[in-house]
Amino acid sequence: MSISKERLLQRIREGEARVGVVGLGYVGLPLAVEFARSGLTCTGIDVDPRKVSAIERGESYIPDVPSADVQALRAAGRLSATTDFSVVAELDTINICVPTPLRKTKDPDMSYIVSAVEKIAAHLRPGMLVILESTTYPGTTEELVRPMLEAGGLKAGTDFFLAFSPERVDPGNPTFNTHNVPKVVGGVGAESTELASLLYGAAIETIVPVSSPQAAEMVKLLENTFRAVNIGLVNEVAIMCQKLGLDTWEVIDAAATKPFGFMPFYPGPGIGGHCIPLDPHYLSWKLKTLNFYSKFIELAAEINGSMPEHVVKKVGDILNDDGKAVRGSRVLVLGVAYKRDTNDVRESPALDVIKLLAERGAKILFHDPAIESLRVEDGAAYKRSPLTARILASADCVVIVTDHSSYDYEWVLRYARRVLDTRNATRGVKTHAERIARL
Ligand SMILES: NC(=O)c1ccc[n+]([C@@H]2O[C@H](COP(=O)([O-])OP(=O)(O)OC[C@H]3O[C@@H](n4cnc5c(N)ncnc54)[C@H](O)[C@@H]3O)[C@@H](O)[C@H]2O)c1
């Protein structure tokens, strides 16, 4: 066993390791808080000074992280934040949780990872453990991150340690969080895997080691491609059911009673967020470099990407039944976050639904409990409308795009004249069923 490994093992075991998290967003902040809760001293590093000063004031900007926790950990001296990368020199471990978006061409945008790794490399010292968590294509850790860190002369797996561990956070999920979702870890060499597993083991219940960083990178892409493809399938099934005059939700609920071999997925207005719409493209991009074309990924993207159009067509049909045109009609969009009970609008299908309806001349209002203003792709900006009986009654059509649990759907149905429910949010509502159309 190398001296550097032994020293780090001991520091982690004794709770003395100084850990760092680079990128304090939806993934990084919960992880930093979890490390600090476990008794380690954690320093968050972010290029956004607003996030850093919020943490320094003891305020959380991530709904799943209570401000009280940030305050308590700060008061205990176990959590701090900075924009200054020179602190890396004092850290034993660093988890990188920066964004991995796509370029307009749907190619991976590695610029955030490159920028973070460049700054870490400048302060890398023997015995440090660096773990990449950002979702990315198989090969990133070995082919991109490793050479950048090794450029100063230290070798990964012996002088310093390097691993990939995919983040599986599910924002807004009341049951599963950073602490109790098993963590997959694949290191450059057995010692890196062992150290990374030990570090996570201090804060996370179950660790799942795999044989390499590439395997760990692929695990994440399999998980998200699985979701994207199954959502694509069920969205297509929803269109089939409509053509067959069947209730999609009834069919799915009945199929879900099968105790084996079936897992329910639900249709919706499209997919959103930082993961499902983007991650599979990381995989297909990598495979294109190997002359392989991933058909399932492309097909799922096509079907899921067409759902906002489908929603807009259904709004048109509803208005048509009432003798109205889309142009000039008032459409109230309820819920614009990409996912129930979150405040995240990244890639939200609501943005496309609003843009497409506005292009057809509809007058758009929106309400979301956690989002005050919205900018759609063409630059148009919207301010949240109040949600009152009068506003509901004044809309020619109300479209439920996000099924936030704080909405009282009985109450919505009491005043709304026509409702397009893209999420089956109104499933329990008994009154005014004739006003509801479902996907
Ligand atoms: N949000 C999710 O549900 C989720 C789930 C699993 C995996 N992921 C993956 O985790 C990664 C991070 O996602 P996120 O949702 O937390 O993103 P985010 O945008 O919420 O947070 C990223 C943070 O990194 C900071 N940042 C950007 N460049 C930086 C740099 N060079 N140095 C330091 N900080 C920098 C940003 O200011 C931001 O605060 C992505 O790869 C994403 O695909 C996200």
Side-chain angles (χ1 to χ4, degrees):
M1 181 159 62
S2 65
I3 299 171
S4 45
K5 179 192 166 196
E6 198 171 7
R7 192 176 152 275
L8 184 55
L9 270 179
Q10 196 180 345
R11 285 179 69 74
I12 297 172
R13 281 209 188 105
E14 292 174 3
E16 282 171 5
R18 287 209 48 188
V19 305
V21 173
V22 174
L24 294 173
Y26 287 90
V27 167
L29 184 59
L31 180 69
V33 164
E34 215 49 61
F35 278 143
R37 251 191 218 133
S38 78
L40 294 163
T41 305
C42 183
T43 306
I45 308 171
D46 202 293
V47 289
D48 183 347
R50 289 166 306 175
K51 288 192 172 136
V52 167
S53 45
I55 299 299
E56 290 295 284
R57 287 195 305 273
E59 285 168 19
S60 168
Y61 40 84
I62 300 288
D64 293 340
V65 176
S67 287
D69 290 9
V70 175
Q71 275 156 27
L73 294 167
R74 280 205 39 69
R78 293 213 297 274
L79 182 68
S80 60
T82 178
T83 54
D84 181 1
F85 269 80
S86 67
V87 75
V88 169
E90 297 159 24
L91 301 176
D92 297 300
T93 71
I94 296 156
N95 290 67
I96 305 172
C97 309
V98 297
T100 42
L102 291 174
R103 298 189 186 282
K104 280 245 174 294
T105 51
K106 301 235 185 292
D107 289 349
D109 177 354
M110 305 309 286
S111 60
Y112 298 87
I113 292 185
V114 168
S115 153
V117 174
E118 261 169 9
K119 291 181 190 149
I120 293 166
H123 303 282
L124 189 75
R125 54 176 173 69
M128 228 180 226
L129 167 66
V130 179
I131 307 173
L132 180 62
E133 292 218 5
S134 303
T135 306
T136 183
Y137 60 84
T140 306
T141 308
E142 283 277 13
E143 296 160 15
L144 180 74
V145 177
R146 181 177 182 170
M148 288 178 71
L149 292 176
E150 286 186 339
L154 298 177
K155 259 202 96 38
T158 47
D159 301 328
F160 72 98
F161 304 97
L162 178 62
F164 182 83
S165 177
E167 180 48 58
R168 291 163 148 177
V169 69
D170 183 19
N173 189 321
T175 313
F176 294 111
N177 49 49
T178 305
H179 179 69
N180 64 8
V181 175
K183 197 91 174 91
V184 173
V185 178
V188 174
E191 297 197 338
S192 295
T193 308
E194 189 187 339
L195 282 164
S197 301
L198 189 72
L199 173 68
Y200 285 125
I204 295 172
E205 282 177 8
T206 310
I207 311 301
V208 185
V210 294
S211 63
S212 65
Q214 289 92 324
E217 288 157 343
M218 187 65 184
V219 167
K220 174 72 184 176
L221 295 178
L222 168 61
E223 291 168 6
N224 283 1
T225 301
F226 174 83
R227 280 192 68 75
V229 167
N230 278 287
I231 294 168
L233 171 65
V234 85
N235 276 331
E236 191 174 59
V237 167
I239 295 169
M240 291 175 186
C241 283
Q242 190 189 329
K243 292 200 179 290
L244 293 166
L246 294 170
D247 179 341
T248 316
W249 306 90
E250 181 192 8
V251 171
I252 297 169
D253 286 347
T257 61
K258 185 177 176 186
F260 51 88
F262 183 84
M263 181 188 278
F265 284 81
Y266 299 97
I271 50 176
H274 195 314
C275 294
I276 311 296
L278 311 187
D279 299 348
H281 291 288
Y282 270 74
L283 185 54
S284 62
W285 174 85
K286 176 69 185 181
L287 269 301
K288 270 181 208 152
T289 69
L290 303 172
N291 275 329
F292 181 88
Y293 289 84
S294 41
K295 299 179 194 64
F296 274 109
I297 292 174
E298 302 299 331
L299 185 59
E302 187 185 321
I303 294 171
N304 292 330
S306 74
M307 291 312 286
E309 278 280 1
H310 182 66
V311 169
V312 169
K313 184 178 172 301
K314 285 212 67 135
V315 172
D317 292 347
I318 289 168
L319 293 171
N320 190 50
D321 286 348
D322 291 346
K324 295 174 184 170
V326 174
R327 183 165 300 282
S329 288
R330 271 165 81 89
V331 178
L332 170 63
V333 173
L334 276 194
V336 294
Y338 84 89
K339 188 168 177 236
R340 169 216 288 245
D341 299 344
T342 72
N343 64 351
D344 190 352
V345 289
R346 289 178 297 177
E347 312 290 325
S348 174
L351 301 173
D352 286 334
V353 168
I354 289 173
K355 177 170 161 274
L356 292 169
L357 282 168
E359 276 170 8
R360 285 164 178 72
K363 292 184 192 138
I364 306 292
L365 304 171
F366 91 86
H367 180 273
D368 190 294
I371 295 160
E372 285 173 12
S373 60
L374 199 63
R375 190 173 286 279
V376 300
E377 203 192 301
D378 59 11
Y382 297 86
K383 277 215 168 327
R384 174 169 67 190
S385 148
L387 188 58
T388 63
R390 197 180 56 77
I391 300 262
L392 280 167
S394 75
D396 297 295
C397 184
V398 174
V399 187
I400 300 171
V401 173
T402 314
D403 51 344
H404 290 305
S405 57
S406 59
Y407 284 133
D408 178 349
Y409 294 102
E410 291 270 1
W411 176 79
V412 169
L413 257 299
R414 205 176 308 152
Y415 300 102
R417 282 181 270 168
R418 301 287 258 129
V419 172
L420 173 59
D421 179 0
T422 68
R423 303 274 191 178
N424 207 16
T426 57
R427 64 166 60 211
V429 177
K430 302 276 181 302
T431 49
H432 306 299
E434 74 289 352
R435 298 181 184 173
I436 307 170
R438 291 196 172 82
L439 211 59

